[in-house]
Amino acid sequence: MTGHPLDAIPPELPVYPLHDQVIFPHMSFPLFIGKEHMGLVEEALRNNRLLVVLTVLAIDPITGREQFARVGTICRINQVLRFPEGGCKIILEGVNRVRLITTLQVTPFAMASVSLIPERENRNSVAQALMQSIIALLRVAQSLGQMLPEDAHHAIDRIDESGKLADSLAVYLNMEVKDQQRLLETLDPLERLKDVYLFLTTEIQKMQARGGGSADRSRQAVRSQKEHLLREQLKHIQNQLGEEDPHQADIRQFRSIVQSDEMPEVVRSVAEKELARLERINPSSPEYTVARSYVEYLCNMPWQRGTSDILDIDRAQQTLDDDHYDLVEVKERILEFLAVHSLKSSLKGPILCFVGPPGVGKTSLGRSIARSLGRKFIRISLGGMKDEAEIRGHRRTYIGAMPGRIIQEICRAGANNPVFMLDEVDKIGQDFRGDPAAALLEVLDPEQNYSFTDHYLDVPFDLSHVMFITTANVMDTVPPPLRDRMEVLRLPGYSDEEKLQIAFKYLIPKQVSENGLDKHPLQFEEQAVLKIIKNYTREAGVRSIDRQIASVCRKVAKAVAQGKDAPEVIRSDQVEKMLGPRKYFSDVAAEEDRVGVVTGLAWTESGGDIIFVEVSTMAGRKDLTLTGSLGNVMQESAKTALSYVRAHHADFGIDAQVFENLDIHLHVPSGAIPKDGPSAGVTIATALISQLTRRPARRNVAMTGELTLTGRILPIGGVKEKVLAARRAGVTTVLLPERNRENLKELDDHILAEMTVLLVDNLSEVVAHTLIPDTEHGPRLFDCPQHLAVDPPSGS
Ligand SMILES: Nc1ncnc2c1ncn2[C@@H]1O[C@H](COP(=O)(O)OP(=O)(O)OP(=O)(O)O)[C@@H](O)[C@H]1O
C-alpha cells in the first residue's frame, strides 16, 4: 500500500508522540509499540489504519503532560507484526502534513482532531535552479566525504518535486529535530528548499574547513552554484516585472537570425547546437563569452548577403578617369575584366595584381573599382604576415581564438561580394607557424574558395563572389604559386610632367577641399608645383607630393582661420617659406666625374633608383673584397665582371700585370638599397675598367644590364622605372641593353626628347660612352702599379 494524499480524515485520530524525531510525508519508518500502547494501534486500525505522529517539543513541568508540535504528519500503518509476549512492530508511512486543532483526550493515549494541510508544489525557475544547485552541492559534499548514504543519492536524483526533495533531504541530512520541525512547518516548498540549501552550504563549508585536497575545487563549485541561483532569482524577478533577462534577450535575438533564411543549412545546425549550449552556460563564466562571440560571428556573417553590382562599363570608365590620371593600359584591362564579369556572372579568372612603387595609385585604383561596381571595399596588408592563422584563423580551442583577417573583414563589411585588396603580397613571410602564402592560395583559387573553411568558423564560407585584387612593389619575391594565379598590371611610376598633371587635376583640388579651403580660392603656380616635385620629393609615385601640398594648404588654412593675410596663389618663390629649405639635390648633377665611381640604375623597393658602384685598388695579391648592399647574385655579378675584364684586358688598354699585384675592393654605398639581381653587372665592370685605366666615369651617364662571362649584355626589367629614376637624379644619358629595345615604347616622347637613351650591345660601347678618353685626361697611370697603392685625388 502506498501513501497518497487523503480527501477526508476521521474527526478524531489517535496521536503517536514522537521524541527526538520528526516524520515527513512520503517517509516510511518502523515503530516498536510496547504492550501499554497497543490500545493506540488498535484505535488506529479501526480508523482506516490512520494515526497522527506529532513530535513532542517539551514536557510541561507542572502537569507532566507532553507538549505537541502544532504541525505533524498523518501516517498510515502499512504493516503490523504482533509479538507473542504483547506489543508489536508497525511500519508507518507518512501521508500528509496535518495541523493540530485540538487535543481531545490524553489518556490512555492522546486523541486529537486535526486538519489536512494541502501539499503545494512550486515549479518556477528559481525552484528548478535550487533543486539543480542542491543536487550539485550534494555531489560536492560527496567529493569531500560521505554526507549521504550511497543509495540515498539514487533516490534523491529521481525526485522531481521541490517540496518532496526538501522533505527527503531533511531526513537524510541528519538535521537537528528543531530544524526538521521548522521544515515540516514551512509550507512553501521553495522556502523549504532554501532552508535545505543553506544547511547544505554550511555543512560543506565545515567540511572544507576540515581541509582535504579537493577543498579548493569544491569552493569554486559552491561559488558557481551560488551564482547560478542568484541569476535564476534575478531572472524570476525580471519575469515578474515583465522585463527580459539581457542574456535571454541576446539568445532570442540570435535565435531569430538562426531561424531566418540567412544561413545555409549546414551553418544553421551548428549555430543551433551552439545556441543550446550557450543557454546552459553560466553567463559570467569565460566560456560563455567565448561561445557567445562564436555564435555572434555565425549570426553576423553575410552568408548569402551581398551588394547588387552596377555593371555599367561607361560608368566604370568615368569613375576610373575621375579618380586617376593616365594609367590608360591598366584602366583598359580593368574595364575588360568588368565587361567579362557583366556578361558572365561568376568572377572566375586570374586575380589582378597591381605592381609598382609606393604611391602610384594601386590602392586607390582598387577603391575606384569598388566604387564603380557599387561594392564594399576592404583592404588588408600582408606585409610581414608570418602566421598562417592570420589568414585562416585559430581553432576555437585556443585561448583568445579569432577568425582570420579574411573572415573578420568580410563580417565587418557585411557583404559577401566586396572588392578585397590584399596589399603587399611580395612581403608575405613564412616561419614555423605555417605558410600564409599556402593559405592565401586557397583563398584566391576559384576552384577552392567557394568553400573556404576558416579554422575559427569551422564551417565553409563561400568566397567565390569576392573580387580579390593584390598589390606588390616588386614581383620577384611573390611566391611562385601565387604569381601563377595572378595577372600582373604594372604601374611603373610617373615622370615629373605626369606628376604635375596629377597634382593639378587631383591632389590640389583634393587637399584644398580637405583642408577647408573651398571658399578660399587657393591656386598654385605651375613653377611652384614643379619646385615641390623636384626639390621636396624623390619618389616614383605621388604620395610625398600629396603630403607637401597638404602641408602648404594647412599653412594657408591656419592663416585664413586666424584672419591673417592668406596667399591666394602659391608662387614658386613662396615654396621655401612654406616648406623650409629644399630637401633633395640632383644626385649626379652636383657631383664631379671620378675615377672608379660609376652611376648605375637598380631596382629597389621603391621602384627604380640610381646607385653608385665604387672600386678602389691597392697593392696586394689578387684579392677581391665586396662590401655594401650586395646580395648573392650581385656578388656573383661582381666576380663575373672582374673575370671578363681580366680576360679582355687588352681590349680596354689594361696591362695584364696589374691584376697580379693588386687587391680590388668593390663597394656599393647604401643610399638606395638595390634588390639582389644581375642588372648591376655592366655597371660593376665599367667601374673596374675606370679604376684600372684611371679614366674618370661621367657621373651623368647611368647604365643597367647583366653582363655574361662571354661579354653579352642581357636585358633587364623595369626599364621605365629606372629611366624615370635616372631623370629624377639628373642623369642625362642612359645606357640600356640592346635587347631592351622593345621597352623604349614604354617611355613617353618628352622623356626621349629630353634624355639620351642609348642601346648598347657590348662593354666596349659602354666604356666609350661612359669613361672620359685618355686624351682628355692626361697619361694613364696603370703602367706604374706602385702608384696604385694610394688613390690619386679624384678627377685625376
Ligand atoms: N594616376 C593618379 N591619378 C590621381 N591620383 C593618383 C594617381 N596615382 C596616385 N594617386 C594618388 O596618390 C595617393 C597614393 O596612392 P595609393 O595609396 O593608391 O598608392 P599605392 O600605390 O597603393 O601605394 P602603396 O604601395 O604604398 O600602398 C592617393 O591619394 C592617390 O589618389
Side-chain angles (χ1 to χ4, degrees), residues 320-327 331 354 356-367 379 421 423-424 427 471-473 491 494 498 501-503 505-507 510-511 541-543 546:
L320 291 175
D321 287 342
D322 283 352
D323 294 350
H324 295 91
Y325 172 78
D326 196 29
L327 302 175
K331 286 179 188 168
F354 299 153
V360 290
K362 301 183 293 296
T363 312
S364 61
L365 263 180
R367 200 166 271 126
R379 169 180 181 239
M421 183 159 258
D423 263 345
E424 304 194 311
K427 312 247 171 32
T471 79
N473 289 137
L491 290 87
Y494 304 109
E498 288 166 332
Q501 295 286 346
I502 294 173
K505 292 199 171 114
Y506 300 88
L507 308 181
K510 181 180 80 175
Q511 291 301 345
V542 294
R543 188 167 289 141
D546 195 25

Side-chain angles (χ1 to χ4, degrees), residues 657-731:
Q657 268 302 311
V658 167
F659 297 101
E660 300 304 319
N661 308 321
L662 282 183
D663 279 351
I664 298 174
H665 186 161
L666 190 141
H667 181 66
V668 179
S670 57
I673 298 177
K675 290 242 155 232
D676 192 21
S679 71
V682 169
T683 320
I684 294 171
T686 313
L688 283 166
I689 297 169
S690 163
Q691 174 67 13
L692 295 172
T693 58
R694 312 304 300 170
R695 289 169 63 185
R698 293 191 170 91
R699 264 297 168 108
N700 56 358
V701 176
M703 64 203 66
T704 175
E706 176 178 355
L707 180 69
T708 70
L709 207 48
T710 55
R712 286 188 304 145
I713 297 185
L714 300 185
I716 43 77
V719 167
K720 181 169 181 191
E721 288 90 334
K722 288 178 179 175
V723 173
L724 288 176
R727 187 167 176 246
R728 276 200 297 277
V731 167

Side-chain angles (χ1 to χ4, degrees), residues 9 26 72 204 276 340 382 385 478 485 605 619 639 764-765 782:
I9 48 168
H26 315 296
I204 289 174
V340 173
L382 303 172
M385 197 180 267
V478 177
R485 281 175 178 69
E605 198 61 10
K639 288 175 192 157
S764 299
E765 285 180 49
F782 65 79

Side-chain angles (χ1 to χ4, degrees), residues 55 68 226 228 271 282 301 319 358 392 440 506 542 582 589 701:
T55 299
F68 296 126
K226 202 185 266 172
H228 176 53
N282 175 353
M301 281 307 286
T319 311
R392 226 200 287 262
L440 203 59
Y506 300 88
V542 294
R582 77 186 277 185
V701 176

Side-chain angles (χ1 to χ4, degrees), residues 352-396:
L352 296 182
C353 178
F354 299 153
V355 180
V360 290
K362 301 183 293 296
T363 312
S364 61
L365 263 180
R367 200 166 271 126
S368 295
I369 295 175
R371 198 158 75 88
S372 62
L373 279 172
R375 290 190 180 201
K376 298 264 169 88
F377 180 71
I378 295 173
R379 169 180 181 239
I380 64 170
S381 173
L382 303 172
M385 197 180 267
K386 287 184 175 162
D387 191 347
E388 191 178 329
E390 288 191 55
I391 303 266
R392 226 200 287 262
H394 288 106
R395 293 193 189 283
R396 274 180 297 131

Side-chain angles (χ1 to χ4, degrees), residues 538-589:
R538 167 74 41 91
E539 58 176 355
V542 294
R543 188 167 289 141
S544 303
I545 301 170
D546 195 25
R547 258 200 303 270
Q548 299 298 342
I549 291 172
S551 169
V552 172
C553 290
R554 276 197 305 276
K555 291 196 166 64
V556 176
K558 183 172 165 233
V560 172
Q562 288 177 326
K564 290 188 183 161
D565 233 7
E568 290 184 359
V569 179
I570 305 293
R571 289 187 318 273
S572 167
D573 56 1
Q574 290 170 308
V575 172
E576 274 92 0
K577 213 174 107 212
M578 296 249 174
L579 298 177
R582 77 186 277 185
K583 290 191 182 140
Y584 295 100
F585 294 85
S586 168
D587 280 340
V588 293

